[in-house]
Amino acid sequence: MKLLISTLIFALLSSTQAFGASAEKERKDIREMRSEVLQRLYREEADTRDEIKQAAGYGVFSNVGINVIFFSAAGGNGVVRDNKTGKDIYMNMASAGLGIGMGVKDFRAVFVFHDRDAMNDFVEQGWDFSGQADAAAKSGKKGDEASGAATVIPGVTVYQLTESGLALQATLQGTKYWKSSKLNK
């Protein structure tokens, strides 16, 4: 039980920005993460560049998730970009779920909002409920991943890229995304 609690605390804390970091440094780190993730996505899924350009907006999130037998949790942050206005909206996220599995996974998610209502609903409401099954064994450029996600958000396409981790899981997960009061000042 102590191992479960320690692992959960470590994963959630390591997914957030350093305590005491300035808001500008955190925003800069998130923008750099966004740039790196988009470049990787464009290499791996060439059609996504045009899909994102034509969308109302997009969001890029960095997440660390764990799954210990029947419980899963994740935490992280990211930014939603409004393609019409060019405005960035910084957000946090946390999730919890039930399912079967074991592992820790550092992953990135890219949300493509095909219409303005879908983007506004996500930014203002921030909920996602999804089922997912995946297997990942990756460290740096070594290893591979296989995943599938059924995300219930009309008007939104979600891409998930694993950075590192070892996980085998099938979960039902609820995720809450919310605007960062610190970073949107």
Side-chain angles (χ1 to χ4, degrees), residues 85-99:
T85 66
K87 181 180 178 184
D88 286 334
I89 302 153
Y90 295 90
M91 299 184 74
N92 299 310
M93 63 83 57
S95 68
L98 299 173

Side-chain angles (χ1 to χ4, degrees), residues 11-131:
L12 293 177
L13 289 178
S14 67
S15 70
T16 61
Q17 298 295 323
F19 292 107
S22 73
E24 186 50 44
K25 168 128 177 53
E26 287 187 42
R27 285 189 291 267
K28 180 180 179 274
D29 290 346
I30 292 170
R31 288 189 307 265
E32 287 174 2
M33 176 273 302
R34 171 179 62 194
S35 180
E36 291 168 7
V37 170
L38 289 175
Q39 291 308 311
R40 178 176 167 202
L41 180 64
Y42 297 156
R43 279 192 313 273
E44 293 180 14
E45 302 280 342
D47 293 343
T48 57
R49 184 181 304 268
D50 288 335
E51 181 182 12
I52 288 172
K53 278 183 187 177
Q54 296 169 6
Y58 62 93
V60 181
F61 289 85
S62 173
N63 310 279
V64 173
I66 66 165
N67 190 307
V68 181
I69 305 178
F70 297 113
F71 176 75
S72 64
N77 56 34
V79 61
V80 171
R81 176 76 167 201
D82 183 323
N83 280 343
K84 182 177 180 181
T85 66
K87 181 180 178 184
D88 286 334
I89 302 153
Y90 295 90
M91 299 184 74
N92 299 310
M93 63 83 57
S95 68
L98 299 173
I100 249 181
M102 186 68 90
V104 177
K105 187 170 68 167
D106 179 9
F107 62 98
R108 307 296 177 259
V110 177
F111 291 71
V112 181
F113 302 103
H114 300 288
D115 61 65
R116 183 151 298 284
D117 288 340
M119 182 177 65
N120 290 339
D121 286 349
F122 180 84
V123 168
E124 297 304 324
Q125 306 299 319
W127 281 101
D128 165 34
F129 183 81
S130 61

